[in-house]
Amino acid sequence: MSHQDLLERLADIPPGSALADARKTREAATTHAQGSYDALFGELSASGLTLAERLHLARRVAEWHDDAQLVEHYAERLAGKAASERFEQALDHAERLSFQPVQASLNDVQALSESGFSEEEIVTLSQIVGFVAFQTRLLRGLRLIGRQPVNGEQVRIPAAGEWHRQPQSHSGKPAPQAFTQAELGWEPWVGAKPYAEFTAEQQETLKRFGHQDSDYFRLLGRNLPVLEQRTLTDKGIFYTPGGLPRAERELAATVASKVNGCIYCASVHARKASQLSKHNESVERLLAIAPGNTLSDGQSPRWQAEINFSAALSATPASASAQQINALREQGLSELELLDLVQSTAFFAWANRLMLTLGEPFN
């Protein structure tokens, strides 16, 4: 485990506690969540964005997500460093990514490009917004599991979100207009970096994860250290033994995607939830929930508790509550299962904000 564990410190997790032990069991997720932070905000991070720009952006996103301790952390690291003149041009886009990522469009990416942001910088900007969204939800979930106080204890469970309904993608391909378990394509608005332009060492990194033929991952490969740590975080959350059944981790990913309106992410993870749980009708019922309606309608008590919690944790700012954690414990979830549910949900605050704001799906 990393000698520095920012989440442990900000969530005030006592050494030797049940939650600390659960995080040791999920050591890969714990280590690479910290590694993702280091890749984005380390002194030697590879990005056209200056460290001051990255920290100012992270602080602002943490403010929008209402995490005072995380805001203070980024403010302390800034130590009076001034933002650049162009920084304000990125804030409008970052605010949209934070609150309504489904509203992002190709025009927003083009506006950043016209303002002088490179493809690498646009990718890093999206990674920062997505990562801090992930951090804030992890922190709220960890505090709730650890029985620490959180802001706004009233229960507020968001309904199913809106999604894109245009009949065609920007390139003219037919676009999905409803949530589905069918396999979809995805095309980037920022140019995916050609495989041949990566160094031999970088190509090996892409191949290690099977990313070499994916436009999405070669796009994120424009900041490869962040992509590598993010991929390892993903694997540590979703592909680890014991704890929450894998189907229910995939369910959490689907719920977050329904809240955020990410049809592509939902298609992948609903399909996995259905295959693993053998509850295809329940997954289809979730996918069919219309915008503004309650996501947990018609589900089993355990799935209702998990869906309600994941939806509340996916709100902006997150609104998951101690009452919901108690409801999950009443359904028999252990400390490790609660951690898995929090991490699976939180990761899709990050994933949705990349998929929705750097490209779009097609049939």
Side-chain angles (χ1 to χ4, degrees):
M1 193 174 296
S2 171
H3 66 280
Q4 180 191 13
D5 187 345
L6 180 62
L7 294 170
E8 180 183 67
R9 178 166 65 82
L10 294 182
D12 197 18
I13 301 171
S17 64
L19 177 55
D21 289 344
R23 292 186 77 234
K24 285 180 182 177
T25 301
R26 292 289 177 258
E27 185 170 359
T30 300
T31 297
H32 295 294
Q34 179 66 39
S36 298
Y37 169 85
D38 294 338
L40 280 166
F41 303 109
E43 295 289 343
L44 302 177
S45 296
S47 168
L49 298 174
T50 67
L51 180 59
E53 287 174 328
R54 282 175 271 142
L55 291 170
H56 272 287
L57 181 62
R59 181 184 65 176
R60 188 65 64 90
V61 176
E63 287 174 352
W64 289 329
H65 290 289
D66 197 23
D67 192 303
Q69 292 98 320
L70 194 60
V71 172
E72 183 179 357
H73 166 76
Y74 284 118
E76 286 175 356
R77 282 207 58 193
L78 271 167
K81 295 185 181 77
S84 63
E85 288 183 12
R86 69 174 187 166
F87 178 71
E88 292 297 324
Q89 297 165 346
L91 279 184
D92 178 60
H93 185 59
E95 186 171 10
R96 188 178 302 105
L97 268 61
S98 295
F99 288 103
Q100 291 290 337
V102 75
Q103 293 182 2
S105 72
L106 173 61
N107 292 338
D108 300 316
V109 169
Q110 289 175 335
L112 284 174
S113 181
E114 289 165 6
S115 297
F117 288 88
S118 69
E119 292 169 318
E120 287 72 17
E121 289 169 337
I122 292 169
V123 168
T124 299
L125 190 158
S126 290
Q127 287 280 28
I128 289 169
V129 176
F131 175 74
V132 177
F134 166 70
Q135 272 189 310
T136 60
R137 284 158 181 81
L138 272 183
L139 285 168
R140 188 175 185 91
L142 293 171
R143 290 170 187 141
L144 288 169
I145 296 171
R147 297 178 169 84
Q148 299 289 339
V150 296
N151 294 334
E153 262 296 307
Q154 74 281 6
V155 178
R156 180 173 62 83
I157 304 171
E162 291 288 349
W163 61 83
H164 292 302
R165 295 175 184 269
Q166 70 276 10
Q168 292 183 319
S169 70
H170 282 85
S171 68
K173 294 184 176 74
Q177 297 177 61
F179 281 81
T180 176
Q181 291 189 50
E183 291 193 32
L184 302 175
W186 185 89
E187 56 187 1
W189 295 331
V190 180
K193 187 172 179 177
Y195 183 64
E197 292 184 13
F198 290 91
T199 66
E201 183 180 359
Q202 291 171 335
Q203 289 178 353
E204 284 302 312
T205 298
L206 290 170
K207 284 161 61 176
R208 180 157 52 100
F209 299 122
H211 289 344
Q212 68 272 21
D213 296 324
S214 164
D215 281 347
Y216 175 62
F217 288 113
R218 284 188 291 102
L219 166 61
L220 297 184
R222 289 187 176 279
N223 190 329
L224 193 60
V226 175
L227 171 60
E228 181 175 17
Q229 289 301 314
R230 182 185 177 278
T231 302
L232 291 167
T233 304
D234 180 1
K235 291 182 178 300
I237 291 172
F238 285 94
Y239 297 90
T240 43
L244 194 69
R246 170 82 185 282
E248 292 171 27
R249 303 185 211 188
E250 300 293 351
L251 175 69
T254 306
V255 172
S257 301
K258 281 286 289 183
V259 171
N260 290 321
C262 189
I263 283 178
Y264 183 89
C265 290
S267 73
V268 173
H269 298 280
R271 191 163 61 249
K272 291 180 181 177
S274 183
Q275 290 166 351
L276 292 164
S277 71
K278 311 301 183 191
H279 295 318
N280 184 64
E281 287 185 9
S282 298
V283 174
E284 281 295 307
R285 186 176 296 118
L286 171 62
L287 290 180
I289 299 291
N293 291 346
T294 302
L295 287 164
S296 62
D297 278 355
Q299 301 291 347
S300 68
R302 181 179 171 112
W303 275 33
Q304 278 193 340
E306 290 174 344
I307 290 168
N308 286 337
F309 176 80
S310 292
L313 196 64
S314 300
T316 304
S319 58
S321 67
Q323 181 179 333
Q324 291 178 314
I325 289 286
N326 291 337
L328 291 163
R329 286 195 165 109
E330 288 169 7
Q331 290 298 320
L333 270 72
S334 67
E335 213 82 350
L336 180 59
E337 288 175 311
L338 289 171
L339 177 63
D340 286 338
L341 184 62
V342 165
Q343 294 194 143
S344 300
T345 305
F347 189 81
F348 273 78
W350 189 356
N352 292 162
R353 283 171 172 80
L354 296 175
M355 300 295 309
L356 284 169
T357 64
L358 291 171
E360 61 189 318
F362 60 88
N363 285 318

